[in-house]
């Protein structure tokens, strides 16, 4: 990959400003992002609740790269490149499923759940099955959340494991089930989808439903100086619910209070699920927001965990995969109405889709030049873009060396 153009764009960005046009619009920048960002980062792939039993698998695309997460007979989760060692067909279509083995649909080469090649018909006697196992992808599970990394040598995840585990543990993701999962196609660069998802400058007018419960005018998503925030933190500690903040440059987690008079992040502000994942405090525990660069944020409330993943498809197309987890014993139609459960974030995502697509259309204009972020209202967007630029520059420098 010729990185001269990328370098020029990175160097042309004025500090505190949005990115130069080419980084949002070109196939060159998209290929670069896949290699430099998605190919080197820990990515939140899904949840243990999606692959509970031996043989359960989760298949998904990271850009053009198909990845497979499988629960083995020994209960261990493993990740593989979803590419047959015969002639490269994918083994499982994107989505979830179950099988005692992984059989390629093309010529029926068959792999164990641990990736070993078990059977390959009509191959010569001296064919070495041992040399044709599925290629592994790094996988780490943290408090029920599954992370994968496609790099040969992944970044250090020990601080995330150490600091996120106590925050997430009370939310019992191991005892969760997927109540709903959806994919929204957005015609915008993945970075625009994320920039939008990292600020609430647009929320007060753009998200009437979210604004009811979400403190949309806070300069960040929490204000550690405010008396109300301190009282909330104190109440959470007495309930045994640590709230952070925790994080490194590539992730953040903090528990924050919802707007006064509301107890759940729903359209009404009341609970939408009867069986709570966290019963402490009667479920009035605000939301634990945890966000992982490059492409994710989650909200863990007492009744659900909502996960937002922006999956890059092309320079100007992104698929937003939304997942709602609830208590594993909550019965649809009895303990929750799925429409009510998903309404708030579905509306919010549709509103954000319009913002991101309009943003892309305007950035395509010859009149576009990078504009300044509000240091107060867009601090987390600036943090995301600065992180992106630092990672990108680092990749360019290492490629040059
Ligand atoms: S490509 Fe998988 S068996 Fe031929
Ligand atoms: Fe938004």
């Amino acid at each position: 990959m010729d990185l001269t153009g990328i370098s020029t764009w990175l160097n042309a960005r004025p500090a505190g400003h949005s990115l130069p046009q080419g980084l949002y619009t070109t196939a060159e920048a998209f290929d670069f992002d896949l290699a430099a960002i998605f190919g080197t980062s820990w990515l939140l792939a899904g949840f243990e609740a999606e692959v509970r039993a031996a043989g359960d698998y989760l298949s998904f695309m990271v850009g053009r790269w198909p990845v497979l997460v499988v629960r083995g007979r020994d209960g261990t989760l493993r990740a593989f490149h979803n590419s047959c060692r015969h002639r490269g067909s994918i083994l499982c279509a994107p989505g979830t499923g179950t099988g005692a083995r992984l059989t390629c649909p093309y010529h029926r080469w068959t792999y164990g759940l641990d990736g070993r090649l078990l059977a390959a018909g009509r191959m010569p006697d001296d064919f070495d099955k041992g040399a044709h196992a599925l290629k592994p992808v790094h996988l780490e599970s943290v408090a029920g959340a599954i992370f994968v990394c496609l790099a040969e040598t992944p970044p250090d995840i020990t601080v995330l494991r150490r600091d996120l585990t106590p925050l997430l543990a009370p939310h019992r993701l191991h005892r969760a089930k997927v109540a709903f999962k959806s994919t929204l196609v957005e015609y915008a660069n993945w970075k625009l989808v994320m920039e939008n998802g990292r600020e609430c400058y647009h929320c007060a007018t753009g998200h009437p439903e979210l604004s009811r419960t979400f403190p949309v005018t806070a300069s960040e998503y929490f204000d550690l100086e405010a008396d109300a925030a301190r009282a909330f933190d104190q109440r959470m500690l007495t309930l045994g619910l640590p709230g952070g903040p925790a994080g490194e440059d590539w992730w953040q987690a903090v528990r924050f209070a919802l707007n006064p008079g509301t107890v759940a992040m729903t359209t009404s502000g009341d609970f939408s699920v009867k069986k709570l994942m966290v019963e402490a405090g009667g479920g009035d525990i605000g939301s634990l927001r945890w966000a992982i660069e490059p492409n994710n944020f989650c909200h863990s409330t007492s009744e659900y965990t909502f996960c937002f993943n922006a999956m890059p498809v092309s320079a100007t197309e992104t698929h937003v995969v939304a997942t709602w987890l609830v208590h594993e014993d909550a019965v649809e139609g009895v303990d929750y109405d799925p429409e009510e459960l998903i309404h708030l974030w579905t509306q919010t995502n549709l509103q954000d889709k319009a913002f991101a697509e309009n943003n892309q259309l305007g950035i395509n204009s010859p009149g576009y030049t990078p504009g300044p972020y509000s240091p107060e209202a867009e601090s987390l967007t600036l943090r995301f873009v600065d992180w992106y630029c630092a990672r990108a520059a680092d990749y360019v420098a290492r490629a040059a060396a």
Side-chain angles (χ1 to χ4, degrees):
M1 193 186 300
D2 177 16
L3 300 178
T4 324
I6 301 288
S7 249
T8 308
W9 287 321
L10 288 173
N11 294 331
R13 177 190 171 224
H17 284 60
S18 59
L19 297 168
Q21 185 181 55
L23 289 172
Y24 294 119
T25 57
T26 63
E28 183 187 353
F30 179 76
D31 289 347
F32 173 79
D33 286 356
L34 282 191
I37 305 293
F38 285 86
T40 64
S41 303
W42 284 107
L43 304 169
L44 178 55
F47 297 90
E48 296 226 14
E50 298 180 83
V51 278
R52 298 182 80 134
D56 286 355
Y57 66 81
L58 173 62
S59 162
F60 56 96
M61 302 294 293
V62 177
R64 285 185 289 273
W65 305 323
V67 179
L68 194 56
V69 169
V70 189
R71 174 87 65 185
R73 285 181 196 283
D74 56 358
T76 304
L77 280 173
R78 296 181 184 83
F80 303 102
H81 291 283
N82 184 7
S83 178
C84 180
R85 292 300 307 280
H86 177 218
R87 280 166 49 203
S89 169
I90 58 165
L91 301 166
C92 311
T96 51
T98 300
R101 295 191 164 78
L102 298 166
T103 301
C104 180
Y106 201 175
H107 314 95
R108 316 302 295 178
W109 281 29
T110 299
Y111 302 85
L113 301 175
D114 58 2
R116 275 182 307 141
L117 179 60
L118 302 177
R122 296 175 64 176
M123 293 300 284
D125 290 342
D126 61 353
F127 169 65
D128 182 5
K129 290 207 288 280
H132 293 84
L134 294 179
K135 292 200 176 156
V137 167
H138 296 283
L139 181 148
E140 293 283 339
S141 179
V142 177
I146 302 168
F147 293 84
V148 298
C149 180
L150 293 156
E152 244 165 68
T153 311
D156 191 358
I157 197 171
T158 51
V159 174
L160 179 138
R161 174 183 294 290
R162 185 194 68 198
D163 294 352
L164 185 58
T165 300
L167 298 182
L168 264 185
H171 292 272
R172 300 193 291 175
L173 293 178
H174 288 287
R175 303 284 314 274
K177 70 166 187 181
V178 176
F180 205 81
K181 192 160 182 165
S182 67
T183 299
L184 183 63
V185 177
E186 301 194 11
Y187 294 102
N189 185 271
W190 71 273
K191 297 190 290 297
L192 295 177
V193 174
M194 290 313 299
E195 286 185 41
N196 175 73
R198 291 278 189 261
E199 49 96 351
C200 238
Y201 198 5
H202 66 276
C203 290
T205 50
H207 296 311
E209 295 86 356
L210 184 67
S211 298
R212 168 142 174 69
T213 56
F214 201 94
V216 293
T217 51
S219 61
E220 300 229 8
Y221 290 169
F222 56 95
D223 181 358
L224 293 176
E225 300 313 312
D227 290 350
R230 255 201 304 274
F232 172 78
D233 290 347
Q234 200 47 53
R235 190 165 68 80
M236 292 305 106
L237 281 179
T238 21
L239 294 174
L241 297 171
E248 297 169 271
D249 63 340
W250 60 283
W251 68 278
Q252 291 183 292
V254 69
R255 191 183 305 281
F256 65 89
L258 300 177
N259 287 337
T262 66
V263 291
M265 205 186 279
T266 55
T267 313
S268 68
D270 285 328
F271 295 120
S272 63
V273 186
K274 285 194 194 122
K275 272 205 173 67
L276 298 181
M277 298 169 96
V278 187
E279 278 159 9
D284 181 9
I285 60 159
S287 173
L288 177 74
R289 174 188 178 270
W290 44 297
I292 322 287
E293 310 299 9
N295 70 331
N296 160 270
F297 71 80
C298 295
H299 281 282
S300 290
T301 70
S302 60
E303 57 172 9
Y304 65 68
T305 283
F306 170 74
C307 172
F308 175 107
N309 271 346
M311 306 305 285
V313 174
S314 77
T316 53
E317 184 174 340
T318 304
H319 290 180
V320 168
V321 179
T323 310
W324 287 260
L325 300 169
V326 299
H327 193 293
E328 62 183 348
D329 296 333
V331 179
E332 181 177 322
V334 177
D335 296 308
Y336 66 97
D337 168 2
E339 296 241 334
E340 196 188 338
L341 171 73
I342 70 169
H343 187 257
L344 174 67
W345 282 108
T346 301
Q347 286 304 111
T348 302
N349 286 350
L350 285 168
Q351 290 152 356
D352 281 330
K353 167 182 159 77
F355 286 126
E357 291 181 347
N358 287 338
N359 197 173
Q360 181 74 57
L361 289 177
I363 281 178
N364 295 344
S365 162
Y368 169 77
T369 47
Y373 297 112
S374 158
E376 184 263 328
E378 292 168 303
S379 58
L380 296 181
T381 298
L382 183 55
R383 180 186 142 107
F384 164 75
V385 174
D386 284 347
W387 173 86
Y388 167 82
C389 288
R391 289 292 298 269
D394 186 54
Y395 185 89
V396 171
R398 274 186 288 117

